[in-house]
Amino acid sequence: MHSSKLAVIEATDGFRSCQAVEDVQSGSFLTDLWGPVLDLPTAYTVLVEKNRHVLPQGVMVRFNHSCLPNAKFIYESRKISNPTLNADYEVFWYAVAARDIKKGEDVTYDYNTTEYDMAEHFQCNCAAEKCLGKIKGFKYLSPEQQIERADDLSPVVRELWSENS
């Protein structure tokens, strides 16, 4: 359910991240988004439908945010059989490399593409030229920032954007 080129490592004392253990080419499969579905969001869930939030399992749980991410979601299931999954877990989307990822690099995605309104806001430390600073969710972005992310939005964030524009 995830590429053998990824592993969760302890980046600093107590802080874990998902890193590439080999170079990964742009477009390569990284991992499926799967886990139990909750009715309410937490700091660790991903909004997959209105009032449905998946608590990621596997390496996905350690994909951190970046305003200049190296991964993105393909918003469909790979239609594979997962006989080892718990009965209450679902598989939703999958992630691919948005650009080449070098060995040792953290795997990141832009949380604003999957979260309309974050359950918990946080300070971004990605140091990208266009770093947003405080990450709150897509609805808090400027119209220009929203348009910049339009091609990478999840279906539910796109729907909420349309309803609230």
Side-chain angles (χ1 to χ4, degrees):
M1 298 200 42
H2 71 268
S3 169
S4 62
K5 294 182 177 187
L6 303 181
V8 173
I9 58 99
E10 189 164 354
T12 58
D13 192 31
F15 180 79
R16 293 177 178 245
S17 68
C18 179
Q19 287 188 357
V21 294
E22 296 177 34
D23 288 348
V24 179
Q25 287 186 326
S26 179
S28 297
F29 169 78
L30 298 173
T31 188
D32 292 298
L33 171 61
W34 58 280
V37 178
L38 310 175
D39 294 332
L40 297 173
T42 73
Y44 306 104
T45 57
V46 177
L47 179 66
V48 291
E49 296 174 11
K50 286 183 182 178
N51 303 312
R52 292 189 80 211
H53 310 265
V54 67
L55 183 60
Q57 303 296 299
V59 298
M60 179 81 226
V61 76
R62 297 297 178 192
F63 276 29
N64 293 309
H65 167 81
S66 175
C67 297
L68 186 62
N70 57 19
K72 66 179 182 177
F73 282 108
I74 303 299
Y75 298 107
E76 58 188 48
S77 172
R78 290 187 308 135
K79 309 287 187 229
I80 59 170
S81 174
N82 296 294
T84 60
L85 281 185
N86 292 354
D88 61 342
Y89 285 17
E90 292 184 46
V91 178
F92 291 90
W93 314 319
Y94 63 99
V96 298
R99 60 169 172 77
D100 289 347
I101 303 172
K102 298 290 182 200
K103 178 180 177 179
E105 189 176 348
D106 286 349
V107 180
T108 61
Y109 76 98
D110 183 348
Y111 289 6
N112 293 298
T113 61
T114 61
E115 301 304 309
Y116 191 71
D117 188 358
M118 299 285 297
E120 293 184 27
H121 302 176
F122 64 92
Q123 187 65 40
C124 180
N125 298 313
C126 76
E129 184 178 322
K130 290 186 173 184
C131 180
L132 298 170
K134 191 94 170 174
I135 305 303
K136 302 178 191 178
F138 184 81
K139 87 178 208 177
Y140 299 98
L141 300 177
S142 71
E144 294 79 20
Q145 293 165 332
Q146 289 177 336
I147 290 167
E148 287 174 2
R149 289 159 177 79
D151 291 342
D152 294 322
L153 294 180
S154 74
V156 67
V157 171
R158 184 176 305 282
E159 179 182 351
L160 290 166
W161 184 26
S162 176
E163 289 174 4
N164 294 291
S165 293

